[in-house]
Amino acid sequence: MQTFFEDYLNILQTSHADILKALDGLPPAALDWVSGPEMNLISVLVFHLTGAERYWIGDVAAQEPSNRDRDSEFKTHDVGMDVTKKRLDDNLAYARKTLEKLTLQDLEASRISPRDGRKFTVAWALLHALEHTNLHLGHIQITRQLWMES
């Protein structure tokens, strides 16, 4: 794997490790706890961010359809910690496999988003996946803090 993609994967792995750290020690009820009006559950955040990662890395950058059902991600509940952690692990495995196939030249290639037909470069899609994951990592960390204070 080229250095850029190794670095990318290391950042993604660190983000996932930080998510797992935020989940560590939480009881199963915390995954489905509503912290406030119009706030997402931790389980929803994990399922949504992994769905988005798979979409931007796979569907867009690698052009490998996932048949993602984005709306269902926001209905996630009662999935348990094991399922949540497996989803994170599966996404990292998929990202590794996909990044191993990419070259630096691929970063400049254009792709069409299957969801809305918009045009993106592979680089943009990959960077957006990281940005989106880390945004929701912050949400998970804050929700954990609120749970611990409740």
Side-chain angles (χ1 to χ4, degrees), residues 7 10 15:
D7 290 344
N10 286 334
S15 299

Side-chain angles (χ1 to χ4, degrees), residues 16-27:
H16 281 222
D18 288 344
I19 292 167
L20 292 171
K21 183 179 175 184
L23 298 177
D24 188 46
L26 289 177

Side-chain angles (χ1 to χ4, degrees), residues 102-117:
L102 295 176
T103 67
L104 293 177
Q105 293 76 23
D106 291 327
L107 294 173
E108 295 184 25
S110 293
R111 300 287 192 257
I112 302 299
S113 167
R115 185 175 67 217
D116 59 16

